[in-house]
Amino acid sequence: MSKLKAAITAVGAYVPDFILTNKMLEEMVDTNDEWITTRTGIKQRHILKEEGKGTSFMAIKAAEELLQKSGADPKEIDLVIVATATPDLLVAATAAYVATEIGAVNAFAYDLQAACSSFLFGMSTAASYIESGRYKKILLIGADKMSSILDYTDRTTCIIFGDGAGAVLFEPNEEGLGLQDEYLRSDGIGREFLKIDAGGSILPASLETVKNKQHYVFQDGRTVFKFAVSNMADVAEKMLVRNNLSKDEIQWLVPHQANMRIIQATANRVGLDPSKVMINIQNYGNTTSATLPLLLSDYETQLKKGDNLIFAAFGGGFTWGSIYLKWAYNS
């Protein structure tokens, strides 16, 4: 009997109905469609507009689609992890509410935050619980309402991000399929380059912080781009070398959707043909924690049992890493 692995056995996704196009952004900030498309690859992004609905709304929708497609019983789920940088509330875990709302009444639940690497780190966490033998079904959801922390007068950030959610179910596998290897990193030097200044314990909310727009995302684009290009490419290449994989043995690269140029640089480093690279940034922009599961949802029908997938992500903090996973089912 081979060693127990943690395999993805089902996928679900949700994006809001409202679409914010580049043309619409031209009316809001000093930018244009050509500039955005050339530099990022983004054409549009989905925005959750409904009042009173947050990250949990999208997470629940993605989970419900997964449950409906797979026929899984929510009462059999042991753990729900919500990877997110935009929880509904501080203190009260978004995951706990999501678990209750989808009927996962026997699960414990918590949030995981590592910026754009949240879902990738969540994959490692979910797999570790499965491989321990103590848990059988773990629901990992990546969801972010980035529009809630964006300044739509700041063209450096508002053009990049969108809202969305994706979910995967991890279960034990004895065929050698599932998560094979991981290489996860972080470096606190990145704290100053991608952040929200106010609302935490250092600088609590006040009239002053609101007036100064310190509750919105700040990004030093050039610095973040430089670190992301080198580090995402490095870890993806390392994953192939560590596992003695040739580029011909890789069916899919699953890269975080932050910028088309970063995606292309990562693919080039490992020598992959563009046809083997999952890309949907043009439709959603950067949905932070939701990018990787949204890719799996969009490409699910093309995935075959035994396919080798290389995941790579980079996020604020800085956080980054790569995971090697063997796909476990034919859609």
Side-chain angles (χ1 to χ4, degrees), residues 132-302:
S132 75
R134 293 199 301 273
Y135 304 100
K136 303 294 185 188
K137 291 181 187 289
I138 297 179
L139 181 64
L140 171 63
I141 305 168
D144 269 303
K145 184 182 177 183
M146 292 303 294
S147 62
S148 67
I149 54 172
L150 292 177
D151 176 3
Y152 281 93
T153 66
D154 176 12
R155 66 178 181 176
T156 64
T157 55
C158 74
I159 65 168
I160 297 168
F161 296 98
D163 302 338
V168 301
L169 185 65
F170 273 96
E171 295 186 87
N173 184 282
E174 295 182 352
E175 299 177 90
L177 304 172
L179 197 147
Q180 306 293 311
D181 194 15
E182 63 181 50
Y183 186 73
L184 309 177
R185 310 298 296 161
S186 63
D187 187 343
I189 194 174
R191 182 171 165 128
E192 294 306 307
F193 304 115
L194 181 52
K195 61 179 178 176
I196 295 176
D197 279 320
S201 59
I202 292 176
L203 189 60
S206 67
L207 287 174
E208 200 70 17
T209 62
V210 173
K211 187 177 74 174
N212 293 337
K213 296 187 174 184
Q214 290 174 281
H215 295 270
Y216 294 124
V217 169
F218 162 80
Q219 177 172 276
D220 179 339
R222 286 186 179 180
T223 303
V224 173
F225 179 84
K226 182 180 73 173
F227 272 88
V229 165
S230 60
N231 286 316
M232 261 183 67
D234 285 349
V235 292
E237 183 182 41
K238 181 182 283 288
M239 199 49 54
L240 269 68
V241 172
R242 274 172 43 142
N243 291 277
N244 297 312
L245 292 167
S246 72
K247 64 180 182 179
D248 297 327
E249 293 174 295
I250 301 301
Q251 279 71 46
W252 294 101
L253 175 67
V254 191
H256 173 56
Q257 306 289 291
N259 182 294
M260 186 65 85
R261 291 182 291 174
I262 297 172
I263 295 168
Q264 290 168 341
T266 304
N268 290 339
R269 175 71 71 85
V270 294
L272 282 186
D273 187 90
S275 65
K276 288 186 168 186
V277 183
M278 292 188 185
I279 297 172
N280 61 12
I281 190 171
Q282 69 278 8
N283 297 325
Y284 307 123
N286 181 353
T287 55
T288 306
S289 309
T291 61
L292 298 181
L294 280 176
L295 283 172
L296 294 179
S297 177
D298 281 359
Y299 282 82
E300 186 184 16
T301 57
Q302 299 180 55

Side-chain angles (χ1 to χ4, degrees), residues 22-62:
N22 290 350
K23 288 291 185 185
M24 294 162 72
L25 279 170
E26 289 179 4
E27 306 298 318
M28 299 164 61
V29 289
D30 182 17
T31 190
N32 61 72
D33 175 57
E34 183 187 10
W35 193 93
I36 297 171
T37 304
T38 303
R39 285 161 178 78
T40 68
I42 302 167
K43 297 296 290 185
Q44 62 179 41
R45 64 288 291 147
H46 292 250
I47 304 295
L48 184 60
K49 284 279 197 178
E50 291 88 341
E51 191 174 340
K53 290 181 178 176
T55 294
S56 65
F57 174 80
M58 297 183 292
I60 290 164
K61 290 285 190 183

